[in-house]
Amino acid sequence: MAMGRIGLAVLALLACAPALAQEGGSGAEPAPQLGPPAAQDTIFWYPAPSRCTYFTPEARAAFRFDDPQTWRFAFLVMRETKAENPAERGYVMVDGVLRELEKVRSGADGAQANVTVWRSAGEPRVNVNMTMRETGRTAEAVSLAGTMTLIRGEGRKEIAVEGNCTG
């Protein structure tokens, strides 16, 4: 009977070996390089207490304020409200995991678009570059359109985005 349990344990270990090798857990093979995040990842957050919301053009066309199922975002920016110098945090969904990003820098590029660089704190490192142009303005919000470039390792994925920022 004991021999049967050991045999089952060995079979279970052998079944896990390919997954361990892929993750770099065996030490025999290096972990694979991560490619760019999937472009279809969206954040479902209702209600989104954000300062800036960005959609893909398709998600923007489908968005209805009174329908929580349509609240699917490509990128969100939130700001602390209680701090004297409020910090902004960006949020992006990468491979099914919501990642928090810190703002690194922001400024105009050569074509006068506003570029904001965001980076994650944890591994695997994810960077997001938002290159945006103003498309409209009201007393409450600024409308923007441009691209979001997701960068992970050597992989890059550029996605068209539209959104708005308040305050």
Side-chain angles (χ1 to χ4, degrees):
M1 189 73 115
M3 190 62 150
R5 287 187 194 144
I6 292 172
L8 288 174
V10 169
L11 284 175
L13 211 80
L14 289 173
C16 293
L20 289 172
Q22 269 190 328
E23 293 174 13
S26 70
E29 297 178 33
Q33 280 288 12
L34 296 174
Q40 70 276 6
D41 281 353
T42 58
I43 302 168
F44 174 67
W45 196 327
Y46 176 83
S50 57
R51 186 179 86 72
C52 298
T53 57
Y54 297 98
F55 302 85
T56 63
E58 298 80 20
R60 179 67 174 244
F63 178 74
R64 300 292 173 262
F65 189 80
D66 59 348
D67 182 359
Q69 292 303 312
T70 65
W71 287 53
R72 308 233 175 231
F73 306 100
F75 192 76
L76 294 172
V77 176
M78 296 185 195
R79 183 178 6 188
E80 294 176 46
T81 56
K82 296 182 177 147
E84 188 173 311
N85 293 321
E88 290 185 324
R89 294 284 184 227
Y91 293 87
V92 66
M93 185 72 74
V94 179
D95 298 331
V97 177
L98 184 64
R99 299 293 303 266
E100 182 180 71
L101 303 117
E102 62 184 354
K103 188 176 185 178
V104 177
R105 65 183 171 276
S106 187
D109 67 2
Q112 296 305 307
N114 186 49
V115 179
T116 305
V117 177
W118 301 84
R119 73 169 172 224
S120 66
E123 295 296 331
R125 173 89 55 205
V126 174
N127 291 335
V128 175
N129 295 346
M130 300 293 289
T131 305
M132 306 303 296
R133 292 186 176 282
E134 186 175 319
T135 59
R137 181 179 289 269
T138 67
E140 297 85 34
V142 175
S143 297
L144 304 160
T147 59
M148 174 173 75
T149 305
L150 300 164
I151 305 163
R152 181 173 60 190
E154 298 299 315
R156 299 173 77 86
K157 175 71 84 174
E158 191 170 286
I159 302 166
V161 292
E162 304 175 355
N164 61 54
C165 294
T166 59

